[in-house]
Amino acid sequence: MTALYYEEFEVGRTIEHEKRRTVSESDNQRFCDMTMNQQPLHLDAEFAADSQFGERLVNGLYTMSLAVGLSVPDTTDGTIVANLSYDDVSHPNPVFHGDTLRAQTTVLDKRETSDGERGVVTMKVEAFNQDDDLVCEFERTALSLKREFAADADDA
Amino acid sequence: MTALYYEEFEVGRTIEHEKRRTVSESDNQRFCDMTMNQQPLHLDAEFAADSQFGERLVNGLYTMSLAVGLSVPDTTDGTIVANLSYDDVSHPNPVFHGDTLRAQTTVLDKRETSDGERGVVTMKVEAFNQDDDLVCEFERTALSLKREFAADADDA
């Protein structure tokens, strides 16, 4: 287990996530299929050629979801109760087929729940392409397990 | 084209989207695979059996992304420039394998861009399961084409 229990999150720390992914045409198509999103800007090369971007855009929710996935091993893998919210999700630059994305997480805030048994952690997640252009950023707030009580559960 | 140009969004209107989807174990697994999200709460039945939920949870970003996909035909199919932001994304109730989700969109606000050639539309998107439990809600802000200028482009 390499992810973090509540006690281990350090406010102000930035974690650069190791895994990256080159986003393919297939990724974009499958994501749109699975989410029943038939937006032509993502799927129709001829339509997209006439848009301001000149080619198909990768679905922004794929970029966001991939950024979370890349961050899980270092943040919440097996140590989370639930994601409480995502806020201020934006895509400052487009993602195209063939781009390689990486992500980093900065811990913004943490507080214990009123019963002291869990904790709420707010993180800023950022995704970048191979040219270091910021392609997605958002805040992620998670309800995290405390190691103390997780250990109790293991003993039960 | 059944989606809406900027001029056609009516503040206060709620649109119930026709298509629904029964979320399968395969959907959840493939979504986690594609987004490199190996959270055991989504993928490990034995781990999840010991969690407060008692079984695997569907990845919340799949629920969010599906809600957007279900809403596209009635809102932004072919009439969008880009999604500007998603805000206050929350998952008030869990989604489990086999749940059937539907979505609705309420238009919260609209304003023209400073050059008057496009418009910014803010919508509230809500997803519900087969028992009408709210399983995801968020605000979606999109930069939309105006029919006037889209028509000009067609004539060019």
Side-chain angles (χ1 to χ4, degrees):
Chain A
M1 189 77 71
T2 57
L4 303 176
Y5 285 101
Y6 175 74
E7 297 93 324
E8 297 160 332
F9 281 95
E10 293 173 40
V11 174
R13 180 179 170 204
T14 297
I15 306 164
E16 298 190 2
H17 307 301
E18 183 183 3
K19 292 292 184 191
R20 307 185 303 189
R21 186 182 182 97
T22 302
V23 176
S24 69
E25 177 185 42
S26 168
D27 285 330
N28 191 30
Q29 290 173 327
R30 285 191 295 158
F31 188 91
C32 288
D33 289 346
M34 289 179 59
T35 63
M36 298 175 73
N37 189 326
Q38 299 178 4
Q39 180 64 252
L41 205 50
H42 303 314
L43 294 174
D44 179 335
E46 295 302 313
F47 178 95
D50 289 333
S51 76
Q52 70 178 95
F53 302 105
E55 60 179 291
R56 286 166 291 175
L57 292 184
V58 171
N59 189 314
L61 293 170
Y62 179 58
T63 303
M64 177 193 178
S65 301
L66 177 59
V68 171
L70 293 174
S71 78
V72 162
D74 298 322
T75 58
T76 57
D77 189 342
T79 58
I80 195 173
V81 181
N83 283 295
L84 298 180
S85 72
Y86 297 95
D87 293 283
D88 300 327
V89 183
S90 68
H91 298 84
N93 287 290
V95 176
F96 301 109
H97 300 158
D99 284 354
T100 298
L101 304 191
R102 66 177 175 86
Q104 66 184 38
T105 298
T106 302
V107 183
L108 296 180
D109 189 42
K110 61 184 280 189
R111 61 179 172 80
E112 288 187 354
T113 54
S114 55
D115 63 10
E117 295 188 1
R118 296 166 171 179
V120 175
V121 181
T122 299
M123 299 163 262
K124 177 166 194 166
V125 183
E126 295 165 293
F128 301 88
N129 67 14
Q130 66 281 355
D131 297 321
D132 282 331
D133 298 321
L134 181 66
V135 295
C136 186
E137 63 179 337
F138 52 91
E139 289 188 16
R140 175 186 180 212
T141 300
L143 182 59
S144 289
L145 295 170
K146 290 180 81 166
R147 181 181 289 278
E148 174 187 4
F149 292 96
D152 283 354
D154 289 343
D155 293 341
Chain B
M1 188 78 71
T2 58
L4 303 176
Y5 285 100
Y6 174 74
E7 297 92 326
E8 298 161 331
F9 281 95
E10 293 173 39
V11 174
R13 180 179 169 205
T14 296
I15 306 164
E16 298 189 3
H17 307 301
E18 182 183 3
K19 293 292 184 188
R20 308 185 302 190
R21 186 183 182 97
T22 303
V23 176
S24 69
E25 177 185 43
S26 168
D27 285 329
N28 191 30
Q29 290 173 327
R30 284 190 296 158
F31 189 90
C32 288
D33 288 345
M34 289 179 56
T35 62
M36 297 175 74
N37 189 327
Q38 299 179 2
Q39 181 62 255
L41 204 50
H42 303 314
L43 295 174
D44 180 335
E46 295 302 312
F47 178 95
D50 289 333
S51 76
Q52 70 178 95
F53 302 103
E55 60 180 290
R56 286 164 291 175
L57 292 185
V58 170
N59 190 315
L61 293 170
Y62 179 57
T63 303
M64 176 193 179
S65 301
L66 177 60
V68 171
L70 293 174
S71 78
V72 162
D74 297 322
T75 58
T76 58
D77 190 341
T79 58
I80 194 174
V81 181
N83 283 295
L84 297 180
S85 71
Y86 297 95
D87 294 283
D88 301 328
V89 183
S90 68
H91 299 84
N93 286 290
V95 176
F96 301 110
H97 301 158
D99 284 354
T100 298
L101 304 191
R102 67 176 175 86
Q104 66 183 39
T105 298
T106 302
V107 183
L108 297 180
D109 189 43
K110 61 183 280 189
R111 62 178 172 80
E112 288 188 353
T113 53
S114 54
D115 62 9
E117 296 187 3
R118 296 166 172 180
V120 175
V121 181
T122 299
M123 299 163 262
K124 178 166 192 166
V125 183
E126 296 166 292
F128 301 88
N129 66 16
Q130 65 281 355
D131 298 321
D132 281 331
D133 299 321
L134 182 66
V135 294
C136 187
E137 63 179 338
F138 53 91
E139 289 188 15
R140 175 186 180 211
T141 300
L143 183 60
S144 289
L145 295 171
K146 290 179 81 166
R147 181 181 289 278
E148 174 186 3
F149 293 96
D152 283 354
D154 289 344
D155 294 341

